Amino acid sequence: MQDEYIKHNKMENYNVKDINLADQGLMNLEVAERNMQALVKMREDLKERKPFEGLKIGMALHVTKETGVLVRTLQAGGAEVAIASCNPLSTQDDIAAALAKEGVSVHGYKGENNEDYYKYLENVINIKPHITIDDGCDLVTLIHTKYPELMENIIGGCEETTTGVIRLRAMEKDNALKYPIVAVNDNMTKHLMDNYYGTGQSTLDGIIRSSNILFSGKTVVVAGYGDCGKGVSMRARGMGANVIVTEVASFPALQAKMDGFRVMPMNEAAKEGDIFITVTGDRDVITPEHVKLMKSGAILANSGHFDVEIDVKGIEELSKSKRRVRHYFDEYVIENNLNGSEKVIYIAGEGRLVNLASAEGHPSEVMSLSFMGQVSACLYLVENKGQLENKVYQLPDEYDDKIAQAQLEVMNVTIDELTPTQIEYLASWKEGT
Amino acid sequence: MQDEYIKHNKMENYNVKDINLADQGLMNLEVAERNMQALVKMREDLKERKPFEGLKIGMALHVTKETGVLVRTLQAGGAEVAIASCNPLSTQDDIAAALAKEGVSVHGYKGENNEDYYKYLENVINIKPHITIDDGCDLVTLIHTKYPELMENIIGGCEETTTGVIRLRAMEKDNALKYPIVAVNDNMTKHLMDNYYGTGQSTLDGIIRSSNILFSGKTVVVAGYGDCGKGVSMRARGMGANVIVTEVASFPALQAKMDGFRVMPMNEAAKEGDIFITVTGDRDVITPEHVKLMKSGAILANSGHFDVEIDVKGIEELSKSKRRVRHYFDEYVIENNLNGSEKVIYIAGEGRLVNLASAEGHPSEVMSLSFMGQVSACLYLVENKGQLENKVYQLPDEYDDKIAQAQLEVMNVTIDELTPTQIEYLASWKEGT
Amino acid sequence: MQDEYIKHNKMENYNVKDINLADQGLMNLEVAERNMQALVKMREDLKERKPFEGLKIGMALHVTKETGVLVRTLQAGGAEVAIASCNPLSTQDDIAAALAKEGVSVHGYKGENNEDYYKYLENVINIKPHITIDDGCDLVTLIHTKYPELMENIIGGCEETTTGVIRLRAMEKDNALKYPIVAVNDNMTKHLMDNYYGTGQSTLDGIIRSSNILFSGKTVVVAGYGDCGKGVSMRARGMGANVIVTEVASFPALQAKMDGFRVMPMNEAAKEGDIFITVTGDRDVITPEHVKLMKSGAILANSGHFDVEIDVKGIEELSKSKRRVRHYFDEYVIENNLNGSEKVIYIAGEGRLVNLASAEGHPSEVMSLSFMGQVSACLYLVENKGQLENKVYQLPDEYDDKIAQAQLEVMNVTIDELTPTQIEYLASWKEGT
Amino acid sequence: MQDEYIKHNKMENYNVKDINLADQGLMNLEVAERNMQALVKMREDLKERKPFEGLKIGMALHVTKETGVLVRTLQAGGAEVAIASCNPLSTQDDIAAALAKEGVSVHGYKGENNEDYYKYLENVINIKPHITIDDGCDLVTLIHTKYPELMENIIGGCEETTTGVIRLRAMEKDNALKYPIVAVNDNMTKHLMDNYYGTGQSTLDGIIRSSNILFSGKTVVVAGYGDCGKGVSMRARGMGANVIVTEVASFPALQAKMDGFRVMPMNEAAKEGDIFITVTGDRDVITPEHVKLMKSGAILANSGHFDVEIDVKGIEELSKSKRRVRHYFDEYVIENNLNGSEKVIYIAGEGRLVNLASAEGHPSEVMSLSFMGQVSACLYLVENKGQLENKVYQLPDEYDDKIAQAQLEVMNVTIDELTPTQIEYLASWKEGT
């Protein structure tokens, strides 16, 4: 396999849609870097130190302009990088082309089929990575199930997203995890930034690009009130919508209620919503039964990692016909149980994460924070090589501090410093009323 | 000229980019109609009554899916319609194709040059319209200056936008206006809806599609705090930005301040802004002098009707180089006066209305309200034919009531009704403390 | 009567609760003046010019610290002022005392009965005013119905509030109005400031002071979506509530819907609301029938001018018992139709304007704007003496400009100025695309 | 000491301002209970089970109507309760009177001096409590430093607030903590509810009641962007203010920036602010040096636990004069360094927590959540008696779940339940793209 990989590598070490898109991709990378200055600064430092010299990093991430900047950063630190897409609809073909042109082993195209999806993951695994970087845990799972022999070579892995971390913790609980993982998602500079501000804006962006719907005056149902759901709800309200939240857990439900939203079960919300957005990390959040209750014209979109939240297949079976009426915007014609007539339901982005399928994913600014976390996690793995257990780790708080500080710096924000008296006061416990 | 027109009409009565886009256009029209139910209902009624039988209506409007629904509505009422674009970057080519296929005399393509722009207006004028519908007053101006002989034929005109109404009132003041105009823009259901909610969302949409910038954490400078500026400011805040407003009039400046925004002159705001949006209706709002003060990476966009608000030409002269880095998103490299290095400024949509140049314009929902106003204005002109002076008219309040009521109906919103006692109370003046 | 008045004037020219409160009142006036700098500046100018020399001004306004500053301003301009309260619960007794001590003929106390209320109005009328200033039109009505002989002496009147203007326009329509009135309420610097920002904050303030309820997580029903209703709705949402709007007119209902609120008839909203706020200007907005539908613990408050919006008497008749549980916060025990048990309904401020009954009314900042309008109106009446018809007038726009400008100045806000080129552009109509 | 206590108990087992206020206090308790239904339900259960039978609970909490409901709840569970105020300005005298009348050993009055403050804490300690409940850690500190002999009797303690937890963790770090403490503050249902929604509303309420200032159009400087600072910032914006945040830590500073606020050091913010609010938990946040930079008319208020955040003494020394102009609202006249003239600075609530000094503290709804946490913590201590170390504990997550669930129930909010398939999906890790 080794030989085959090398041959492949020498000949045409990438699978992209159209290499001619590279020029557009390079410009997009340039624009992205302007909005990722803190990560770019980190790159300058890594270029000096070369902490990843001799290491291979295998990635399954959304192949976007921001990921391209991450790839460049790790390479600057000395790593050899191979990357496959972590979702069939999230590759930006111009970026893939640009990376290919820069010599990266990149595999993915927008709209790739399941077979290619897994073939490309294997292309990445074939480089025998020392570090894996996942968004959704597919690389780790594939290595654990099909390529266990590669694990002795692996220092550790990094996981980008909530869904992936949930899977990894399940693995850890089952004693199935065989190498240490840093849950980058759990950095405050990640899950309180990218999941919240990033998902908030980009989900609306995806829905608007695919439908051109007006949010003002609409009822938007947001399923899930975690970091992503909070971001989406806040932005939907910020655009003039009336938001209903559905939840399965009491505390976030209470938060949603206290934040001024209505909270109810999905089978009630289904009757009221104009736009439905799932961000739960779980399956069957919107089912054909819910669809039966909906108004004609309802739009369904998902921003959770996997395409299981909306039961697209079930809805298709319910439908008389299906038609693509706009870019990744599909119309399903369904019998309207309420009055015998027909009604129409739209699904954006095929039920895959709408911000990537129908727009460009999270803006560069938040991905800069997330990816400083990824680089930090790689450094952490390298620096603690051999000393970590096969567990899911969280980076120590000082990493978050440094990342936040670096970001404030490029934003030209200065803050106060504690005086010695103030530090002393915080450490003392005798001073009372 | 008559003959020539007819010949032209019979042979190839349209100028569009690609007639093969018609299928996509037809689907977009269908989706739009779902969000314009109240206008569609109006069409049903007009189809019965045919109030425009025998009339020719000449339009200069943005050729979007929503305008397409307006065209269909006027045709349903019996009118013959010809339409040219009212802006070089606002035509949606698939819609133009679809209208052409439906037999409409449609003239325009996205990115058309100035020569074509005026040629197409003349194509519309050549049908010898009885009613003109303008968005920006170019048709009225052209008729007044070059085709005065056609005016005896004209019952009246309708104007869609603030800028156009300003021009028309200037004409009226100069006694230059030679036929009556209904200022549709002044309908509450227009300027308090489309200008506010429509411009608010679509301007941000245009900027995000062209730049993929994150609004959260950014400083957004909004020039002008009229209906459009208010909408843009509110939505920018709703997306997490810190908003600065610039104004030339005291009262809106005070409103902006009371709404929690900072208010300052542009030459101060220029130093702080990350994103600049002009919605003033005036020229030279952002000049090269302002650009000199800006931070590197600043993004400029205009949502005012004409491309005079940002002095694009002046900025180009100031620049060392210019390059299109994304769709209608141009990078200007400029010497940075502050530190001798270079800085980069981006202009979205060439300084033309960014919501149409870089996105799809106002969503259908608000255009439904605006265009119910246009149809109402046409009906008003026909019903009051010969009885109006050469002035700018506003529709009586009951039109707004009817439009709002029709919209509430399709949104399934019911409201309270005054009881006789309540009506009596409101009419009495003797009942006090 | 003249003689009697003078005697009364010399002896004890006021009716206040407790003259010993004057010191607190003087301090409150001082604090208020700090927040009414633009009005105070106006006073400096009037002091020089004495435009009201020899004139008597009779007022029926809320006797608050802000009104005190208005009184001082008109006096500085040379006027002799007499004032009665325009609402039984709105007098701040310390301010009344302070004004009395300063020699103003002031009549009112918090909680005054109906008899005193009208007696005090007559005390004001007895000075034979040349100008009347009303808030709610009671003075004008009383003069028209009982003291017509005084009208030949009257130059004109000023009206502060929407409700008063509605009554006056009804009088005008009936040809019953016998002297000219300036509708100060219709100044943009009044109804778009005081009604909106003022009522918004102070209504919530009144409800919180009387109930200490948490707005976050509550459902707030706002009846009426005029300037006041918009302000209240926005602030309720700003405090974390979920807002339902009820309306009788289509356009404001549509605005409320587009602003992201739910809109429904009161008999539906009654079932959902935790807090009900009426700001309609009409009677019977909340009736016993609505109360029957409400949840136990619901709070009712009114911010409209008169206490007719909530049918307090009807609710009392419905109740088994009534008890004052907190400051102007009354508990009504009612049989709960839903389950046979009892429920409790609270009414704040006896159904009178809650911001004055339970808090301190609009903050000084907005009253400064309103009262610059009152002073401007008085100046307008004096300057146009004898030239006005017996109609309801609106001040010309330049007054609003000046007031807004004066306010911006004391807030240290500077704005842009139009260049000659820009002015020319706005006036021209030939420059198009 | 025991004997003395008992004697005292029999004779006059309370120190309150005026026992005649009890009737008003009882009504306030009744109103509070309506908004604390979930806690009241908990009480019903405790009444049955009597888990605190034979236990003495000593409290130092704000003596408010909500605390009164907590006292009743613990008593219902069988406890004997003694309570002192935990802050000199936070006692509501009517509630203290009501509790006294109900036989509670209650000690405190609004405006109590330092001597009484500590005497009252000792009164509580004198009952030889088995459990202590603190808000700010004064009781724990006093026991540790002056009454160590009582500690063998103590099962554990509960701490209500962030500041107290900081002190306790410092004690734990110093190995000075001698009995286990439950950090009730760290419950999500406490610090993400009461600190956020509670402090947000009540801080503004305190400032408005003391100053009657309009928030709309003001610049509000919030020092500290923890849970409290976030709540205050959000509500200040919700009332129309422009908010500046100051911070000493990078991550919350970044959050504030991303939430659309300006972030800068206090010595810059000092020049811009109209209203300053400290919520940091540290001292010297606003110093005389900052005050020198401020505009005349600036208002200073603190919502942190101790009165050290604003250096009130230092500001007094800077001042020419000081005067109380309104209820707990003091004016300081200071030489204005900028122009030689004088300026005025206001301090609300003497720099003590403004929501309690100038208003009524957090509304009942959030205190219900906090105090369900307190009761849960007491139960946890009793159930784990003898098994806990001398550490600061956090309640397990299921307590938060139960509390949130109980609250949702009384709010009539229902949510979705996970299906078996969904539970299985969440637990599995093999199912990928």
Side-chain angles (χ1 to χ4, degrees), chain A residues 88-264:
Chain A
L89 288 189
S90 68
T91 297
Q92 292 165 1
D93 290 317
D94 62 330
I95 299 299
L99 291 178
K101 206 147 196 181
E102 289 190 346
V104 178
S105 169
V106 55
H107 309 274
Y109 58 92
K110 180 154 192 164
E112 68 198 22
N113 57 35
N114 212 49
E115 191 190 342
D116 280 348
Y117 180 82
Y118 278 99
K119 194 175 75 190
Y120 296 162
L121 288 185
E122 299 199 339
N123 287 350
V124 167
I125 290 171
N126 284 346
I127 70 161
K128 299 188 175 174
H130 302 94
I131 291 175
T132 58
I133 301 183
D134 252 319
D135 186 327
C137 191
D138 278 350
L139 214 50
V140 165
T141 311
L142 196 57
I143 289 170
H144 276 69
T145 51
K146 284 189 57 184
Y147 302 90
E149 73 279 9
L150 292 184
M151 292 200 283
E152 64 175 331
N153 195 38
I154 293 178
I155 300 170
C158 308
E159 171 55 49
E160 173 73 6
T161 200
T162 315
T163 295
V165 172
I166 292 173
R167 290 176 82 189
L168 287 158
R169 292 206 198 278
M171 286 178 82
E172 185 185 343
K173 214 175 153 188
D174 287 1
N175 288 317
L177 188 63
K178 298 302 180 202
Y179 62 83
I181 301 280
V182 180
V184 174
N185 178 72
D186 292 358
N187 288 357
M188 290 196 298
T189 46
K190 202 280 172 180
H191 73 101
L192 294 179
M193 290 281 146
D194 153 344
N195 304 19
Y196 184 65
Y197 307 105
T199 309
Q201 175 174 311
S202 65
T203 299
L204 267 67
D205 184 19
I207 293 170
I208 291 173
R209 290 200 207 193
S210 62
S211 68
N212 209 40
I213 199 88
L214 183 74
F215 269 75
S216 185
K218 290 295 188 304
T219 299
V220 173
V221 178
V222 179
Y225 203 64
D227 296 319
C228 292
K230 279 172 187 146
V232 170
S233 300
M234 179 187 53
R235 291 299 175 242
R237 173 151 70 187
M239 293 299 270
N242 189 283
V243 175
I244 295 172
V245 170
T246 74
E247 250 298 339
V248 294
S250 297
F251 184 72
L254 182 58
Q255 278 189 307
K257 179 75 180 165
M258 297 296 276
D259 285 340
F261 302 118
R262 283 185 288 158
V263 178
M264 62 182 75

Side-chain angles (χ1 to χ4, degrees), chain C residues 61-285:
Chain C
L61 292 175
H62 304 297
V63 184
T64 64
K65 54 188 180 307
E66 292 76 21
T67 301
V69 182
L70 172 62
V71 168
R72 287 175 169 185
T73 304
L74 294 171
Q75 284 178 324
E80 180 188 330
V81 178
I83 175 167
S85 177
C86 66
N87 187 293
L89 289 189
S90 68
T91 298
Q92 293 166 0
D93 291 317
D94 63 329
I95 299 299
L99 291 178
K101 204 146 197 181
E102 289 191 345
V104 178
S105 169
V106 55
H107 308 274
Y109 58 91
K110 181 155 191 163
E112 69 198 22
N113 56 36
N114 213 47
E115 192 189 342
D116 280 348
Y117 179 82
Y118 278 100
K119 194 175 75 190
Y120 296 162
L121 288 184
E122 299 201 339
N123 287 351
V124 167
I125 290 170
N126 283 346
I127 70 162
K128 299 189 175 174
H130 302 96
I131 291 176
T132 58
I133 301 184
D134 252 319
D135 185 327
C137 192
D138 277 351
L139 214 50
V140 165
T141 311
L142 195 58
I143 289 170
H144 276 70
T145 52
K146 284 189 59 183
Y147 300 91
E149 72 280 9
L150 292 184
M151 292 201 282
E152 65 175 330
N153 195 37
I154 294 178
I155 300 170
C158 309
E159 171 55 49
E160 174 72 7
T161 202
T162 316
T163 295
V165 172
I166 292 173
R167 290 176 81 190
L168 287 158
R169 292 206 199 280
M171 286 179 81
E172 185 185 343
K173 215 175 154 189
D174 287 2
N175 288 316
L177 188 63
K178 298 303 178 199
Y179 61 85
I181 302 280
V182 179
V184 173
N185 178 73
D186 293 359
N187 288 358
M188 288 196 299
T189 47
K190 201 280 171 181
H191 74 102
L192 293 180
M193 290 281 146
D194 154 344
N195 305 18
Y196 184 65
Y197 306 105
T199 308
Q201 175 173 312
S202 65
T203 299
L204 266 67
D205 184 20
I207 293 170
I208 290 173
R209 291 200 206 193
S210 62
S211 68
N212 209 41
I213 199 88
L214 182 75
F215 270 75
S216 186
K218 292 293 188 305
T219 299
V220 173
V221 177
V222 180
Y225 205 65
D227 296 320
C228 293
K230 278 172 187 148
V232 170
S233 300
M234 178 186 53
R235 291 299 175 241
R237 173 150 69 186
M239 291 302 268
N242 189 283
V243 176
I244 295 173
V245 170
T246 74
E247 251 298 340
V248 294
S250 297
F251 184 73
L254 181 58
Q255 278 190 307
K257 178 77 180 163
M258 297 297 276
D259 285 340
F261 301 118
R262 284 185 288 158
V263 178
M264 60 183 77
M266 183 58 86
N267 56 17
E268 284 184 34
K271 299 170 202 162
E272 294 210 33
D274 298 300
I275 302 167
F276 295 79
I277 303 168
T278 54
V279 269
T280 69
D282 206 345
R283 57 179 291 174
D284 302 335
V285 180

Side-chain angles (χ1 to χ4, degrees), chain B residues 138 197 259 283 422 433, chain C residues 138 197 259 283 422 429 433:
Chain B
D138 277 351
Y197 306 104
D259 285 339
R283 56 179 290 174
Q422 287 181 313
T433 298
Chain C
D138 277 351
Y197 306 105
D259 285 340
R283 57 179 291 174
Q422 286 180 314
W429 52 271
T433 298

Side-chain angles (χ1 to χ4, degrees), chain A residues 117-118 138 167 170-171 174 197 247-248 255 258-259 266 282-283 306 416 422 425 427 429 431 433, chain D residues 117-118 138 167 170-171 174 197 247-248 258-259 266 282-283 306 416 422 425-427 429 431 433:
Chain A
Y117 180 82
Y118 278 99
D138 278 350
R167 290 176 82 189
M171 286 178 82
D174 287 1
Y197 307 105
E247 250 298 339
V248 294
Q255 278 189 307
M258 297 296 276
D259 285 340
M266 183 58 86
D282 206 346
R283 55 180 291 175
F306 289 120
D416 280 312
Q422 287 181 314
Y425 178 84
W429 53 271
E431 206 165 333
T433 298
Chain D
Y117 180 81
Y118 279 98
D138 277 351
R167 290 176 81 190
M171 285 178 83
D174 286 1
Y197 306 105
E247 250 298 340
V248 294
M258 297 296 277
D259 284 340
M266 183 57 86
D282 206 346
R283 55 179 291 174
F306 288 120
D416 280 312
Q422 286 181 314
Y425 179 83
L426 288 178
W429 52 271
E431 206 166 334
T433 297

